């Protein structure tokens, strides 16, 4: 009998500044779990959010011509 727990489903999005993780949380209503530093010189932080996340597709909006 194993004592395994289901794996936590998370999503990550990289940013240039830590405050942008909080901005995404506010804008999209995602729950921010943690911020991890990356080794990238431009996208310095990885924002880890709860569950599956994706950005809305701006191309789906109706354009007025």
């Amino acid at each position: 009998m194993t004592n395994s727990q289901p794996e936590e489903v998370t999503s990550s999005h990289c940013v240039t500044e830590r405050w942008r993780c909080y901005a995404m949380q506010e804008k999209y209503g995602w729950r921010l779990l943690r911020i991890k530093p990356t080794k990238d010189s431009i996208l310095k932080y990885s924002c880890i959010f709860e569950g599956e996340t994706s950005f809305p597709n701006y191309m789906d909006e109706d354009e007025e011509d």
Side-chain angles (χ1 to χ4, degrees):
M1 188 165 159
T2 60
N3 201 8
S4 62
Q5 295 180 353
E7 194 171 313
E8 180 182 29
V9 177
T10 61
S11 299
S12 65
H13 300 282
C14 293
V15 295
T16 55
E17 300 167 299
R18 291 176 61 90
W19 69 265
R20 295 184 184 278
C21 292
Y22 299 105
M24 277 193 281
Q25 176 177 245
E26 285 295 313
K27 183 174 184 175
Y28 300 111
W30 302 338
R31 182 170 177 248
L32 181 64
L33 299 175
R34 61 190 168 278
I35 301 171
K36 293 173 34 177
T38 68
K39 295 180 184 205
D40 191 89
S41 63
I42 297 172
L43 296 173
K44 297 179 180 180
Y45 302 99
S46 180
C47 313
I48 312 298
F49 295 98
E50 181 179 68
E52 300 267 341
T53 61
S54 63
F55 294 105
N57 188 350
Y58 70 94
M59 297 297 287
D60 288 343
E61 294 179 13
D62 291 334
E63 293 183 20
E64 293 183 26
D65 293 333

